[in-house]
Amino acid sequence: SIQKLHARDEDLVTLCENKILKILANKDALFNADGNPQLVATANVLGQAIPFVGEYGISKNPESFVSEAYRAYFSDQTRGVVLRLSKDGLTPISDHGMRDWFRDNLKLTNSIIGSYDDKQKEYNITLKEAKKTLSFREDVRGWVSFKSFIPENGISCSNNYYTFKGGRAWVHHDEHTFNTFYDKVQDSHVTLILNENPGLVKSFKTLNYEGTQS
């Protein structure tokens, strides 16, 4: 079944339970009207349905879909993956270090909320029953953080990121309030996983440090 329709410039992205298609749209079509030999042109025609490469769908969670510029993000609960649809087609972004985690946790939740934070350039996905919110960033091609808020929905508008809780809208990234979500103060922490062998050279892609050479 079709779960979500998303219109782009020249096609209509159709997200089904087990398949992702693009249907050509806004194209001119020529046909004869009532046997008249004269041709009539119209743009109100849907064209060929072309499947994207990959056996993926959106399951029954259209609420996980988010569109940002030419990219779109959504989850496939049945297959335990989170996907990105871009110019290069479908990519399972859950494979970036979180394959096992999503495979185990997506099946435990019924509501999967997706939102995009324009300010931080992050795709936030919330697993309601698991009470987890995670963020994916394109610049590091990875999942950068678990978040301390569990929203009912979220949206970006005018370079501000808003989430909804209890029917109220809350703005994020306030410069005067830290670690407070929905009037509740949360504790944040960083967990570092390092190799303790001092003789092993370590390379960090997303971590900067200051200190002596040793």
Side-chain angles (χ1 to χ4, degrees):
S1 64
I2 295 176
Q3 296 290 315
K4 176 77 176 178
L5 294 175
H6 174 61
R8 299 193 299 188
D9 292 338
E10 295 183 349
D11 55 36
L12 188 67
V13 178
T14 306
L15 299 101
C16 306
E17 289 183 59
N18 298 304
K19 204 68 178 176
I20 309 297
L21 313 166
K22 67 176 178 180
I23 301 175
L24 301 181
N26 295 325
K27 305 287 187 181
D28 288 336
L30 299 176
F31 61 93
N32 289 336
D34 299 329
N36 192 312
Q38 294 181 348
L39 295 177
V40 178
T42 179
N44 300 322
V45 173
L46 294 178
Q48 181 182 6
I50 304 172
F52 288 98
V53 176
E55 295 298 324
Y56 299 108
I58 198 173
S59 298
K60 292 188 176 180
N61 301 103
E63 71 277 7
S64 68
F65 180 88
V66 172
S67 174
E68 187 276 324
Y70 58 89
R71 298 188 184 99
Y73 304 89
F74 56 93
S75 67
D76 186 351
Q77 184 191 41
T78 303
R79 293 157 186 82
V81 296
V82 181
L83 299 156
R84 177 188 63 220
L85 175 60
S86 187
K87 292 180 178 179
D88 56 352
L90 285 170
T91 304
I93 59 176
S94 53
D95 286 353
H96 295 298
M98 296 291 289
R99 179 188 302 172
D100 291 340
W101 193 93
F102 278 109
R103 187 174 55 193
D104 294 339
N105 287 273
L106 281 177
K107 62 184 179 183
L108 303 178
T109 186
N110 294 320
S111 181
I112 304 172
I113 307 298
S115 60
Y116 191 82
D117 186 346
D118 271 346
K119 210 162 195 176
Q120 296 294 324
K121 304 299 181 184
E122 294 176 347
Y123 169 62
N124 293 329
I125 184 170
T126 300
L127 283 60
K128 293 293 287 294
E129 282 76 8
K131 296 183 178 180
K132 298 288 186 182
T133 298
L134 297 84
S135 297
F136 177 85
R137 288 180 65 112
E138 286 289 343
D139 55 355
V140 298
R141 293 295 180 93
W143 299 87
V144 294
S145 180
F146 284 88
K147 296 297 177 65
S148 300
F149 56 89
I150 311 297
E152 296 168 353
N153 214 325
I155 191 173
S156 287
C157 182
S158 300
N159 203 34
N160 281 323
Y161 179 58
Y162 302 90
T163 60
F164 299 88
K165 187 77 169 180
R168 301 174 63 188
W170 302 78
V171 64
H172 288 242
H173 312 305
D174 182 77
E175 296 180 357
H176 306 289
T177 306
F178 298 95
N179 283 24
T180 302
F181 302 100
Y182 315 129
D183 284 340
K184 293 183 179 179
V185 179
Q186 303 284 346
D187 293 328
S188 295
H189 62 274
V190 177
T191 301
L192 298 178
I193 303 175
L194 303 177
N195 191 319
E196 296 180 352
N197 185 356
L200 185 65
V201 176
K202 304 169 181 62
S203 299
F204 303 102
K205 293 184 179 180
T206 57
L207 178 66
N208 296 323
Y209 66 96
E210 292 183 2
T212 63
Q213 184 176 358
S214 59

